[in-house]
Amino acid sequence: MFNKIFTNPNSLNFDYDLIIIGSYRQRELKILPKYILTIPHVSIYGYYNVNDFNRLYFSFFRTNQLLDYRYNQQQIEEIAKPLLPITKQDKTIVSNFDLPNNFIAIAIGAASVDRNFSQWEAVIDEIFAQHIANNIVLVGAKNATIEAKKIQQKYPNKITDMTGYCSFNQTAQIIKKSSLLVCADGGLLHASNAVKTPIVSLFYNIEPTVRLIKINPSCALLNKTNINNIKVSDIIELIGQHAINGFYKSKH
């Protein structure tokens, strides 16, 4: 669609017929040169400023409208997903990790307390007790390393701990190699959507439809009071259903 994409406004030469900006929110406008709005422009989100809508779908539908394309809803939903380019270097790095041939990825830790599920060890205990999976790879940021190490030491031959070890894109490549991602709402959920790995996801407050996409078959559990009120048995039931129904994708 576009021949050149700039991430730095100072790189623009402003020799354009039309500029597409994200929104008219102050935090976005203040990073743009003042004279940019003197050029003909349109906005994806305009003044729409709420949290509970699916921004991915909104951006695809809005671009379809602005550029006068003729895609219908079904066609858009068949292509709409996040874009996450993974370099050859990152793919090579991940290929050199000693990962099992077939595994479930579980993302532990969270950027905020209200999205931090604290019962992953119990979930993993049940996965192995019910023989749902033979191997698990733990992923997540550095704030999850202590919890991950504790769990990995419990199952040294069944769990590979990659928390705090990889970049975001490398972690996405690990998720791509997995058959399923189990996680709370967060950045790795979007990464899983980008690489089209099915998800069993946990949500607090935000409706799952705001995050999940139709071309990546996934399911979710929601508790608007506390994410830790979500029952381990319910999580295991969803993971088990995927295993029985062949919901897992083919491994890469």
Side-chain angles (χ1 to χ4, degrees):
M1 182 186 298
F2 304 109
N3 293 324
K4 295 182 180 179
I5 298 176
F6 298 96
T7 56
N8 183 352
N10 295 325
S11 301
L12 298 174
N13 59 21
F14 301 105
D15 184 22
Y16 296 97
D17 298 318
L18 178 69
I19 293 177
I20 302 175
I21 63 174
S23 73
Y24 294 123
R25 298 175 71 174
Q26 183 178 6
R27 70 180 185 184
E28 186 161 347
L29 291 178
K30 69 181 182 181
I31 69 171
L32 299 173
K34 293 181 180 180
Y35 48 87
I36 196 170
L37 296 183
T38 64
I39 301 169
H41 64 276
V42 292
S43 168
I44 297 293
Y45 298 116
Y47 295 97
Y48 198 58
N49 187 20
V50 296
N51 292 322
D52 57 345
F53 71 102
N54 191 308
R55 294 178 182 273
L56 179 79
Y57 281 145
F58 191 106
S59 62
F60 269 77
F61 279 101
R62 178 66 169 148
T63 302
N64 187 59
Q65 177 192 47
L66 290 173
L67 301 183
D68 198 27
Y69 291 151
R70 293 293 187 267
Y71 292 104
N72 58 36
Q73 180 174 341
Q74 181 179 348
Q75 290 172 319
I76 291 176
E77 290 175 347
E78 288 174 350
I79 62 172
K81 73 179 187 67
L83 176 64
L84 182 61
I86 301 174
T87 65
K88 290 182 179 180
Q89 181 180 6
D90 282 336
K91 290 178 180 179
T92 300
I93 290 172
V94 172
S95 69
N96 289 327
F97 294 151
D98 187 21
L99 299 176
N101 291 326
N102 189 25
F103 63 92
I104 291 175
I106 297 181
I108 62 177
S112 59
V113 174
D114 56 7
R115 291 186 290 177
N116 187 30
F117 186 70
S118 62
Q119 303 175 68
W120 289 123
E121 184 174 353
V123 170
I124 291 169
D125 286 342
E126 285 300 310
I127 289 174
F128 290 141
Q130 298 186 29
H131 305 289
I132 295 172
N134 294 321
N135 298 289
I136 290 173
V137 173
L138 302 179
V139 294
K142 290 182 179 179
N143 63 4
T145 54
I146 294 175
E147 180 183 4
K149 183 177 181 179
K150 176 186 174 184
I151 298 173
Q152 195 275 335
Q153 289 175 341
K154 191 174 183 179
Y155 300 100
N157 298 320
K158 293 185 175 182
I159 291 179
T160 303
D161 176 19
M162 301 302 296
T163 58
Y165 190 72
C166 305
S167 69
F168 185 85
N169 283 18
Q170 289 165 6
T171 302
Q173 179 66 10
I174 293 174
I175 293 170
K176 184 177 181 179
K177 288 179 172 291
S178 72
S179 55
L180 177 76
L181 175 69
V182 185
C183 67
D185 176 29
L188 293 181
L189 181 150
H190 299 293
S192 196
N193 277 334
V195 299
K196 296 181 70 174
T197 294
I199 311 164
V200 170
S201 51
L202 314 182
F203 285 86
Y204 159 73
N205 195 32
I206 295 177
E207 291 292 334
T209 52
V210 172
R211 300 281 194 256
L212 302 182
I213 58 177
K214 293 185 178 180
I215 62 170
N216 186 32
S218 302
C219 57
L221 294 166
L222 167 68
N223 188 290
K224 292 192 174 183
T225 303
N226 189 319
I227 196 170
N228 286 294
N229 288 341
I230 296 175
K231 296 179 180 179
V232 170
S233 59
D234 290 340
I235 300 171
I236 294 299
E237 182 179 358
L238 289 182
I239 298 172
Q241 285 176 1
H242 293 333
I244 293 171
N245 298 329
F247 192 84
Y248 295 167
K249 68 173 185 178
S250 299
K251 65 182 180 179
H252 296 254

